[in-house]
Amino acid sequence: MSFPQNFLWGGAVAANQCEGAYLEDGKGLDIQDILPHGFSSPPTTKPTADNLKLQAIDFYHHYKEDIKLFAEMGFKVFRTSIAWSRIFPQGDEVEPNEAGLRFYDELFAECHKYGIEPLVTISHYETPLHLAQKYDGWASHELIGFYERYVRTLFTRYKGTVKYWLTFNEINSILHVPLTSGGILTPKEQLSLQELYQACHHEFVASAQAIKLAHEMMPDAKIGCMVLAMPIYPLTPAPDDIIAVMQADHFNDFFGDMHVRGVYPGYMKRFFHEHGIKIQATEEELRLLRENPVDFVSFSYYMSICEGASGKSGVGNILGGKKNPYLKDSEWGWQVDPQGLRYILNKYYDRWQKPLFIVENGLGAKDELCRDDAGRLTVNDDYRIAYLRDHLLAVNEALADGIPVMGYTSWGCIDLVSASTAQMSKRYGYIYVDRNDDGSGTLKRYRKKSFYWYRDVIRTNGACLVDEKS
């Protein structure tokens, strides 16, 4: 196996899916507090008792116990997000909430205690609710200034503590779930293309400003973008199907192009012209985009899709697409395609020539607690081990192809509330958390079989995967 000696092994979570404590220590509401059934359902007017995210797995009070478990697995890096509304409860205040800053002081200190580097997402699907209600989220140019103040506060506080940063989570998902991704309360069906792509522009400018600040304030840090990666295959070799794939790819590649190249590509200028879209941008903003590219590109990878003139639509794929008849589905209809990970790593590096970081990958499945030979409660999740092993072998193939991959943080390294369905029963973790979809449970943590498997993968720097493959 050819994993680099400095490969960053770890796991990933998001504040809104694990922390809970949704109003403690001065925290304000965020958009997840009114999305009790996941991003595909309409929002409520206020938090409701059936929203599992309000308590989640109570990482806010269990983080020391959980970080210790991550250290037992040997994590080199832990990806989490900062809840914007813990730092600025409404999002547009002038002064930050000290109690919120202090929580992340303690969280990052606990990581460093075990030699774990934090990888921090600045905005991960948790726009403060006030910014959504008053400004319609990123549809408003004013959010650029609020985000800059938030970012400057974080960089001032955590410079020297956090080495790796991401500006927005799955930034390209704003085209499909504008409330979850962009804090835009206007229903998607009422949102014009002009408003939607103007919101994208606002996020691009905010991201570039954050990159500029990071390089000025923390010259030893690295800051990247984060996109939802989904390889697209043609249903047939028919030229029309190939063009359909090319056009579908454009809407994903666009977001990486903007972060790496900093200029609107010709294919999007054509799309804007044909749909009457006129991006309102100042010369200063366009220069900011050109002059502040990311240090690396990070992405989530769960599935691939097909495109073409015919074929049935996919199930559970938030970016749409059509079913691939050669792939199997997960329990939630996400098509499993380990080779797609090697493909997308090659494609992204060929396109952008930037180091790549896989910051989400994993299998959501229904797990059942059982007793092991020693009588301990665990989960025999061989299906998850097989999924992760196959994907890591694909990463190794990409490394052999010469692709610079910085690290791998599997998604939901401890069970948390699903973003897409707001369920606990859609579990990803190496650690089982005793919490159910109805909110019951003790919140006790149990090591799954995959916990020990991943510990061996990290301990051997991936070498044990060779024996499993053979």
Side-chain angles (χ1 to χ4, degrees):
M1 302 298 287
S2 56
F3 286 93
Q5 286 304 308
N6 60 350
F7 194 78
L8 292 169
W9 297 98
V13 300
N16 71 86
Q17 293 170 255
C18 73
E19 282 184 3
Y22 81 110
L23 285 180
E24 287 195 39
D25 296 328
K27 182 184 178 296
L29 295 175
D30 63 52
I31 57 171
Q32 293 295 336
D33 296 324
I34 60 164
L35 288 170
H37 305 296
F39 55 57
S40 59
S41 301
T44 56
T45 56
K46 59 183 180 180
T48 58
D50 62 340
N51 189 345
L52 291 175
K53 287 167 283 190
L54 303 185
Q55 183 185 6
I57 62 167
D58 198 25
F59 181 75
Y60 192 77
H61 297 107
H62 289 257
Y63 71 90
K64 290 187 177 181
E65 171 189 356
D66 295 338
I67 297 296
K68 186 177 181 180
L69 287 167
F70 301 156
E72 185 180 335
M73 276 187 281
F75 278 22
K76 311 297 183 188
V77 64
F78 172 52
R79 180 191 173 212
T80 189
S81 64
I82 290 176
W84 188 344
S85 60
R86 283 203 193 281
I87 312 305
F88 290 96
Q90 303 231 14
D92 59 359
E93 296 97 336
V94 174
E95 297 297 327
N97 172 33
E98 176 60 26
L101 290 166
R102 193 161 52 246
F103 167 71
Y104 294 105
D105 284 336
E106 295 166 359
L107 172 60
F108 300 149
E110 197 68 17
C111 288
H112 286 298
K113 173 181 170 182
Y114 296 102
I116 299 172
E117 288 284 355
L119 166 61
V120 173
T121 311
I122 295 168
S123 180
H124 190 134
Y125 291 172
E126 48 214 348
T127 306
L129 182 59
H130 174 73
L131 298 185
Q133 292 174 329
K134 183 174 180 179
Y135 303 95
D136 209 15
W138 284 98
S140 169
H141 190 274
E142 290 192 68
L143 259 73
I144 297 173
F146 301 143
Y147 183 84
E148 180 184 351
R149 181 183 299 151
Y150 167 51
V151 165
R152 192 181 291 274
T153 300
L154 299 186
F155 291 172
T156 300
R157 184 74 168 225
Y158 305 121
K159 61 183 177 184
T161 300
V162 176
K163 183 177 179 180
Y164 301 104
W165 298 86
L166 306 176
T167 55
F168 290 95
N169 179 69
E170 294 182 333
I171 188 169
N172 50 326
S173 64
I174 192 174
L175 299 182
H176 308 274
V177 282
L179 173 55
T180 299
S181 187
I184 301 172
L185 270 178
T186 299
K188 182 181 176 182
E189 61 275 11
Q190 298 175 21
L191 200 63
S192 70
L193 288 176
Q194 173 69 42
E195 292 168 319
L196 185 57
Y197 282 95
Q198 189 66 46
C200 294
H201 176 76
H202 296 155
E203 287 196 329
F204 294 148
V205 172
S207 188
Q209 183 65 51
I211 295 163
K212 182 175 184 291
L213 286 174
H215 291 157
E216 292 172 351
M217 299 174 68
M218 305 179 298
D220 294 331
K222 300 293 183 184
I223 185 164
C225 61
M226 196 285 203
V227 296
L228 194 166
M230 193 173 293
I232 306 175
Y233 308 141
L235 280 170
T236 75
D240 283 349
D241 284 1
I242 304 299
I243 294 298
V245 169
M246 180 190 76
Q247 291 175 330
D249 267 336
H250 282 164
F251 291 103
N252 290 329
D253 294 342
F254 164 50
F255 290 83
D257 285 350
M258 291 300 296
H259 280 89
V260 174
R261 298 170 177 164
V263 294
Y264 280 94
Y267 59 82
M268 289 309 297
K269 290 180 180 179
R270 174 180 178 174
F271 177 80
F272 293 161
H273 175 73
E274 291 177 350
H275 292 82
I277 300 167
K278 296 182 179 180
I279 301 297
Q280 303 300 310
T282 66
E283 284 302 319
E284 182 182 358
E285 289 173 347
L286 295 175
R287 184 172 61 254
L288 184 71
L289 293 173
R290 289 194 305 270
E291 294 178 355
N292 295 280
V294 289
D295 298 317
F296 63 94
V297 174
S298 75
F299 63 91
S300 60
Y301 176 75
Y302 296 100
M303 71 198 85
S304 59
I305 59 174
C306 289
E307 273 298 347
S310 61
K312 295 180 180 179
S313 294
V315 178
N317 296 335
I318 70 169
L319 298 193
K322 298 176 172 64
K323 298 278 280 189
N324 188 328
Y326 297 97
L327 298 177
K328 294 181 179 180
D329 294 358
S330 74
E331 292 179 75
W332 274 266
W334 292 18
Q335 295 204 284
V336 178
D337 179 18
Q339 291 191 77
L341 182 50
R342 177 187 179 187
Y343 171 81
I344 204 70
L345 283 164
N346 273 268
K347 178 190 168 185
Y348 280 176
Y349 189 66
D350 288 347
R351 188 178 188 94
W352 296 317
Q353 298 288 297
K354 290 283 185 179
L356 302 173
F357 203 144
I358 305 156
V359 294
E360 287 188 32
N361 172 241
L363 177 68
K366 294 179 180 177
D367 293 340
E368 296 293 334
L369 277 176
C370 62
R371 298 278 179 184
D372 64 13
D373 292 341
R376 297 169 300 193
L377 283 171
T378 188
V379 174
N380 290 322
D381 55 341
D382 295 280
Y383 42 87
R384 178 168 294 110
I385 292 171
Y387 176 100
L388 294 168
R389 179 190 63 237
D390 291 347
H391 283 76
L392 285 172
L393 287 170
V395 175
N396 184 246
E397 291 292 335
L399 287 165
D401 293 332
I403 309 304
V405 185
M406 297 170 61
Y408 175 89
T409 57
S410 56
W411 176 247
C413 48
I414 182 170
D415 290 345
L416 38 66
V417 181
S418 167
S420 58
T421 66
Q423 294 172 293
M424 275 299 304
S425 55
K426 188 181 182 184
R427 298 176 182 271
Y428 286 86
Y430 305 111
I431 301 162
Y432 184 96
V433 179
D434 183 23
R435 185 147 200 244
N436 305 307
D437 287 345
D438 63 2
S440 63
T442 64
L443 292 176
K444 283 195 68 175
R445 274 69 163 150
Y446 302 97
R447 298 167 182 83
K448 302 179 189 178
K449 186 175 181 180
S450 58
F451 179 99
Y452 303 102
W453 172 84
Y454 196 47
R455 183 184 65 182
D456 289 343
V457 170
I458 297 174
R459 179 181 56 81
T460 65
N461 200 34
C464 68
L465 296 168
V466 173
D467 297 331
E468 293 183 34
K469 184 180 181 182
S470 60

